[in-house]
Amino acid sequence: MNASTTSPFPSEKPQPTPSYNAIYSLPTIENNTERDRLDFQHTALRIALGSLYAGHDYVKTRLAPKNEGPQPSVLDVGTGSGIWPESMAREFPHAQVLGVDLTPVIPDSNTPSNCRFGYLDVNDGFASLGDSFDVIHMRAVGVWIQDQVRLIRDVARVLKPGGVFLWIGGDLNLYSENYEQLPRVEEGQEGWKQGRELHGIHEFKTLLEDSEHFTYRGQEDAFCPIGTWKEGPCLLLYSTSFDDADTGFAATDTPETAWKQVGELFALNMGRMIPILGNLLVQSGRDKETIDRWLATAKEEIETRNPKTQAFFRHLWAVRNEVKWTASAAGEAEAA
């Protein structure tokens, strides 16, 4: 499938009712539209960053092949469609890669032999995974985390000393072409936009810095245009060129075309989010007339690229230090 020939919005024909996860509040990957949306988002972020992962040198060093002993292992938490672990398994064919989520991915003929999938509710902890991972990756799961301090401790429990923790958070606010957060005001007022605060994206860095188990190492912010309006070169952090086998989308390291590709993919991503948001608004008790009006406005803005908006993603990376993991007092109380 080529993104340039795909409408930003799903077919208007009646579609099977998607199955929703009670915790995630979004369709599961059993719904093809949601799987496509996650794949479009993945590819856009991969182009914007220029790599599958931030903290490039740390990850490359940690996942280098070993002459003896077990080869490196990678864990992807909240794996979604499974496109990230499958891509990592191809880049590091000697490593063992595991993707976990509330709805496990079913491997197919395109899944590398060194990639597997399983079930995990991140809010239940990671005790079932052992303590043998060299890289742990989490993307766009922060809004569903009930206790972020506990999350960092849980990651420390299963990450080897010297291992790399990669965390990517997306802001549910939108940003202008001048990188300013769009105002959240009441409907009918000038500049009205839908949005809510996504707690954690701006605070997670502080939590990592304060953790006794991690040494914070770096940050990379990515502003991704929604639509093909952004001009000028895309200064890719890690220059790369690839054909994404899972989306069928050919990405390039040509700076002049990269932003166009990112914008096109994010328009596809957002177009598929609109009906999903409609279902969530219904669950919140909003009346249908208001919901339909909001969704129509959002759809028009994406189609016309007016206003010019950007999505914001923050990439953080930290290294597990030598401090031994011990159960917290709260964890011991829960276990009792």
Side-chain angles (χ1 to χ4, degrees):
M1 174 171 54
N2 189 312
S4 63
T5 61
T6 305
S7 167
F9 300 96
S11 170
E12 298 296 333
K13 297 179 181 179
Q15 299 292 314
T17 301
S19 56
Y20 284 76
N21 185 283
I23 300 173
Y24 188 39
S25 298
L26 293 175
T28 68
I29 58 166
E30 297 164 329
N31 177 263
N32 289 334
T33 298
E34 176 65 1
R35 176 185 286 271
D36 286 347
R37 184 188 71 79
L38 293 172
D39 286 352
F40 290 142
Q41 177 179 273
H42 161 88
T43 305
L45 290 173
R46 182 173 180 174
I47 298 170
L49 185 64
S51 175
L52 275 170
Y53 44 86
H56 203 256
D57 292 341
Y58 290 98
V59 173
K60 282 280 191 181
T61 299
R62 189 67 190 185
L63 295 183
K66 297 180 180 179
N67 293 327
E68 58 182 30
Q71 290 298 321
S73 58
V74 180
L75 174 65
D76 182 33
V77 179
T79 197
S81 68
I83 190 172
W84 189 87
E86 289 186 347
S87 299
M88 285 293 285
R90 295 186 186 97
E91 182 168 336
F92 300 95
H94 58 279
Q96 294 298 312
V97 185
L98 172 64
V100 294
D101 210 325
L102 291 165
T103 303
V105 175
I106 299 176
D108 59 26
S109 59
N110 293 319
T111 302
S113 60
N114 59 324
C115 181
R116 57 195 176 92
F117 298 98
Y119 170 86
L120 180 76
D121 179 353
V122 65
N123 290 307
D124 288 342
F126 296 1
S128 63
L129 299 177
D131 57 354
S132 59
F133 293 100
D134 294 277
V135 171
I136 295 179
H137 173 265
M138 299 182 68
R139 180 173 64 196
V141 298
V143 69
W144 317 114
I145 303 303
Q146 297 170 358
D147 185 339
Q148 292 192 333
V149 174
R150 176 186 171 179
L151 169 68
I152 291 175
R153 287 183 52 81
D154 286 341
V155 170
R157 181 175 188 169
V158 299
L159 188 62
K160 297 176 185 177
V164 183
F165 178 31
L166 304 171
W167 183 89
I168 303 95
D171 196 336
L172 292 187
N173 295 293
L174 294 179
Y175 290 76
S176 72
E177 59 184 314
N178 298 317
Y179 307 97
E180 298 174 342
Q181 182 179 308
L182 292 175
R184 296 188 301 275
V185 297
E186 293 299 321
E187 181 178 6
Q189 293 183 359
E190 183 178 357
W192 174 75
K193 293 289 176 292
Q194 279 301 104
R196 69 180 179 85
E197 191 67 38
L198 177 57
H199 298 290
I201 183 173
H202 301 291
E203 292 81 12
F204 203 82
K205 175 182 175 181
T206 301
L207 296 180
L208 278 176
E209 291 174 328
D210 292 344
S211 171
E212 63 176 334
H213 296 105
F214 286 97
T215 301
Y216 170 77
R217 290 300 187 187
Q219 168 183 323
E220 181 70 20
D221 291 343
F223 286 89
C224 301
I226 301 172
T228 57
W229 56 265
K230 197 166 187 176
E231 302 290 343
C234 176
L235 302 178
L236 302 183
L237 182 61
Y238 309 112
S239 181
T240 187
S241 180
F242 64 91
D243 289 332
D244 202 308
D246 297 278
T247 63
F249 187 86
T252 175
D253 62 351
T254 305
E256 289 72 21
T257 62
W259 279 135
K260 299 292 185 183
Q261 294 175 319
V262 171
E264 192 171 11
L265 285 161
F266 257 97
L268 290 165
N269 174 39
M270 296 300 292
R272 281 152 176 74
M273 273 294 292
I274 286 179
I276 295 171
L277 294 174
N279 288 321
L280 294 178
L281 289 169
V282 169
Q283 296 174 29
S284 73
R286 297 279 187 177
D287 65 276
K288 186 177 185 304
E289 182 180 353
T290 299
I291 293 172
D292 289 345
R293 184 171 63 252
W294 286 352
L295 298 186
T297 299
K299 183 175 181 179
E300 180 183 4
E301 289 179 353
I302 293 173
E303 289 178 330
T304 62
R305 293 173 289 177
N306 181 27
K308 297 175 180 177
T309 56
Q310 302 187 87
F312 173 74
F313 284 81
R314 171 160 291 170
H315 302 253
L316 302 174
W317 57 98
V319 173
R320 176 73 165 90
N321 58 35
E322 299 290 336
V323 174
K324 184 177 179 180
W325 187 93
T326 57
S328 67
E332 291 173 345
E334 291 176 0

